[in-house]
Amino acid sequence: MTLHAASREALDLAENRLGEVLAAAGTDPATVGDELLSVVALLDREIGLRRAVADGSASSEARVGLARGILAGKVSEPALQVLDSVAGSRWSSPRELTDGLEALGRSALLTSAEKSGNIDAVEDQLFRVSRIVAGEPELERALSDLTAPAEAKRTLVRTLFADKVDVVTKTLVEQVVLRAKGRGVGNALEELVQLAAERRERSVARVTSASALSDEQQARLSEKLNALYGRQLALHVEVDPSLGGGLVVRVGDEVIDGSTAGRIDALRRRLAG
């Protein structure tokens, strides 16, 4: 997805708001994701509404009020809070607003897969679907056909995949197919695979220990990390005696260094400074 500067800034703000909303107790990420994608479908159909919500000449308050006036009672309050951020920001174009909103819906759905511990399965299923479509040119043409009724394409996706994949996978694939926009679904499916892979990597805790961990120790560590990150993390444990003692935990780009070697290095840096 390519966005101009204003839209990138708007999407950053909306992503932050989405993170806050999904972190709130009682919020169901899957519901929020489904609702955001339903608004994408609405804005795709209603060109006038899409332009009005993205109209930079109107005040932020007016755009937010317009969106709430139409959608209140039709989507949940958590989804409305995300939409407040979307409507209240300035986007480079109406189309980029809907593309950004689609990205938020996808993110919420992948978050639901993370929290349920299904992100590995979703990534694998998206990859398999992308390979099936890539290997069947006639299927890709059918799914990418802009003249085909949306319901016919949705039915085709569900017939082929619905009873074989997670509901998050099904929803994401349907969204790609329904918004193919003439560029084919192959590349869009590959983008989804990459998004899920990035999420899966964030949901893997790579643990390096100075000595082997017992099952009980791994269970306690898993419980603490799940509580710390607010989602299920898969533990990948390796043993490295050179650590001297303790653990090093890596989750995505974040490192928690509780090893003896790490503490010594930190002390050296403080003394050197």
Side-chain angles (χ1 to χ4, degrees):
M1 179 178 61
T2 302
L3 298 176
H4 292 88
S7 294
R8 288 198 302 271
E9 182 177 349
L11 181 57
D12 285 345
L13 291 172
E15 286 176 336
N16 289 336
R17 187 66 182 118
L18 176 66
E20 295 170 353
V21 166
L22 297 185
T27 300
D28 178 13
T31 298
V32 173
D34 285 338
E35 290 174 340
L36 294 179
L37 293 182
S38 73
V39 177
V40 171
L42 171 66
L43 295 179
D44 279 344
R45 293 194 306 269
E46 302 292 340
I47 298 174
L49 176 60
R50 183 171 74 233
R51 289 174 176 168
V53 174
D55 183 5
S57 66
S59 70
S60 172
E61 293 78 7
R63 297 193 303 272
V64 170
L66 171 65
R68 277 207 169 242
I70 293 172
L71 297 169
K74 298 181 175 64
V75 300
S76 65
E77 180 59 27
L80 284 173
Q81 291 174 11
V82 178
L83 290 165
D84 286 346
S85 177
V86 172
S89 298
R90 291 189 176 275
W91 297 80
S92 301
S93 70
R95 175 57 63 184
E96 290 189 10
L97 182 150
T98 52
D99 286 349
L101 187 55
E102 180 181 48
L104 295 168
R106 290 176 173 181
S107 181
L109 287 170
L110 290 173
T111 297
S112 76
E114 280 184 316
K115 290 192 172 183
S116 65
N118 291 335
I119 192 65
D120 285 9
V122 168
E123 182 201 352
D124 180 65
Q125 290 163 5
L126 287 171
F127 176 76
R128 292 177 183 274
V129 170
S130 72
R131 293 303 87 202
I132 290 171
V133 172
E136 298 288 345
E138 290 187 8
L139 174 59
E140 178 161 11
R141 281 195 293 272
L143 294 175
S144 304
D145 185 359
L146 291 178
T147 65
E151 194 55 39
K153 293 198 286 187
R154 183 183 284 110
T155 298
L156 178 56
V157 169
R158 292 181 179 180
T159 300
L160 292 172
F161 306 117
D163 63 344
K164 303 177 181 68
V165 299
D166 186 274
V167 65
V168 168
T169 304
K170 177 186 72 68
T171 302
L172 290 170
V173 172
E174 283 184 14
Q175 183 68 14
V176 162
V177 169
L178 296 178
R179 296 198 82 223
K181 296 184 291 189
R183 66 184 179 97
V185 301
N187 289 338
L189 285 172
E190 289 178 6
E191 289 175 8
L192 278 181
V193 174
Q194 181 60 34
L195 287 174
E198 291 171 358
R199 288 301 187 106
R200 182 189 60 78
E201 190 67 20
R202 284 177 44 198
S203 291
V204 172
R206 302 188 182 280
V207 180
T208 306
S209 174
S211 58
L213 299 179
S214 67
D215 291 344
E216 182 181 354
Q217 287 173 320
Q218 289 194 40
R220 288 203 305 269
L221 177 60
S222 179
E223 182 179 349
K224 290 179 179 179
L225 290 173
N226 291 342
L228 177 63
Y229 285 92
R231 61 181 187 272
Q232 294 294 315
L233 296 175
L235 293 189
H236 290 190
V237 181
E238 297 178 353
V239 176
D240 181 0
S242 70
L243 294 180
L247 303 168
V248 176
V249 179
R250 292 177 175 84
V251 180
D253 294 330
E254 186 172 349
V255 178
I256 303 172
D257 191 344
S259 68
T260 301
R263 290 194 292 271
I264 292 172
D265 285 343
L267 177 60
R268 285 172 177 163
R269 287 193 296 272
R270 286 198 298 271
L271 292 174

